[in-house]
Amino acid sequence: MAKRSKAYLAAAEKIDSDTLYAPLDAIRLAKETATVKYDATVEVAFRLSVDPRKADQMVRGTVNLPNGTGKTAKVIVFANAAKAEEARAAGADEVGGDELIEKVAAGYTDFDAAVATPDLMGKVGRLGKVLGPRGLMPNPKTGTVTMDVTKAVTDIKGGKIEFRVDKHANLHFIIGKSSFTEAQLLENYAAALDEVLRLKPSSSKGRYISKATMTTTMGPGIPLDQSKTTKLLEELPA
């Protein structure tokens, strides 16, 4: 087991591992126990009662966080001609066709999201081994294979996040930074939670979210009461 820092241990002492914290209480604890000197990322992890090996139980989606993520995502776009110009105008960090495909095939993955026009997916599809394991492969279901590259780039830059259940049935997503207000983090959590719940597979049995934890970068996990799924924003003081 890795040796924990004094700051981590001090933060962990403030958290009762046997208590399931309501979302607002968890957010307050997350802000209080952030142990790094920089602006920590606040993340939520769910354990879902699904079998990701079954196609009808793969939970994957996107959500526009109302208060953004706290960072501007680096976006690349696979496009040519007029669509490439549109992507550049929308603020894409890198745009290209064959040359960008070759660059990624060689191992370039220093970006947060990739968008592609449908006509290039025949070639982009060959990048599966590079992009797939990192969750970066453009996909029509998440709006990243599209002719409307302007909207795709603008949405991602504006705080659109993508989430996908892994092979162990865990799902991770960020809800902002520790510098965000309690209200901003709670609004982002509520928006993401609503979308995860909306995507519940009809074939999923039992309690859909079996476990939930909130963490900050390098900080201790805070057990989250996943049953507190309605009227979240009413928890906020006036």
Side-chain angles (χ1 to χ4, degrees):
M1 184 175 174
K3 188 175 181 182
R4 300 295 191 181
S5 67
K6 288 183 180 179
Y8 179 97
L9 295 173
E13 284 181 4
K14 298 178 182 179
I15 299 164
D16 182 353
S17 60
D18 295 323
T19 297
L20 293 178
Y21 293 91
L24 184 55
D25 293 332
I27 285 167
R28 287 171 176 155
L29 265 175
K31 288 170 65 67
E32 185 183 343
T33 60
T35 60
V36 293
K37 290 187 169 71
Y38 51 87
D39 194 5
T41 297
V42 183
E43 183 175 336
V44 173
F46 288 156
R47 171 69 61 84
L48 302 183
S49 297
V50 299
D51 184 350
R53 295 171 298 179
K54 297 179 179 177
D56 64 345
Q57 293 194 32
M58 170 54 71
V59 179
R60 178 176 186 174
T62 61
V63 63
N64 287 305
L65 297 180
N67 300 296
T69 63
K71 64 171 275 189
T72 302
K74 185 174 182 180
V75 184
I76 70 166
V77 179
F78 298 105
N80 288 317
K83 290 299 171 183
E85 290 306 315
E86 286 179 27
R88 290 188 185 97
D93 296 275
E94 199 159 350
V95 183
D98 290 346
E99 71 285 0
L100 183 55
I101 291 170
E102 289 174 12
K103 183 176 178 180
V104 173
Y108 170 62
T109 56
D110 184 24
F111 49 90
D112 301 300
V115 175
T117 53
D119 56 298
L120 285 181
M121 277 308 294
K123 294 179 178 179
V124 174
R126 298 198 292 268
L127 301 175
K129 287 184 179 179
V130 178
L131 298 180
R134 295 170 175 81
L136 294 171
M137 176 61 79
N139 187 301
K141 291 181 180 178
T142 58
T144 48
V145 176
T146 177
M147 291 300 286
D148 194 349
V149 294
T150 298
K151 182 179 187 304
V153 172
T154 303
D155 283 351
I156 296 167
K157 291 277 188 181
K160 180 180 179 181
I161 61 167
E162 183 175 341
F163 53 82
R164 178 179 181 175
V165 68
D166 66 18
K167 63 182 180 181
H168 302 297
N170 296 313
L171 187 150
H172 299 261
F173 55 90
I174 65 172
I175 60 170
K177 296 285 189 177
S178 59
S179 62
F180 280 23
T181 66
E182 293 173 3
Q184 288 174 321
L185 288 169
L186 193 62
E187 286 169 357
N188 280 357
Y189 172 71
L193 176 64
D194 282 349
E195 186 60 15
V196 173
L197 292 173
R198 190 185 72 80
L199 293 170
K200 178 184 178 181
S202 58
S203 54
S204 171
K205 305 300 180 187
R207 180 183 288 179
Y208 176 44
I209 302 174
S210 61
K211 185 178 180 182
T213 306
M214 186 176 294
T215 56
T216 58
T217 309
M218 306 293 288
I222 302 164
L224 189 59
D225 187 347
Q226 71 273 16
S227 68
K228 302 271 186 173
T229 56
T230 57
K231 300 182 180 178
L232 278 176
L233 302 183
E234 292 181 9
E235 292 186 33
L236 286 169

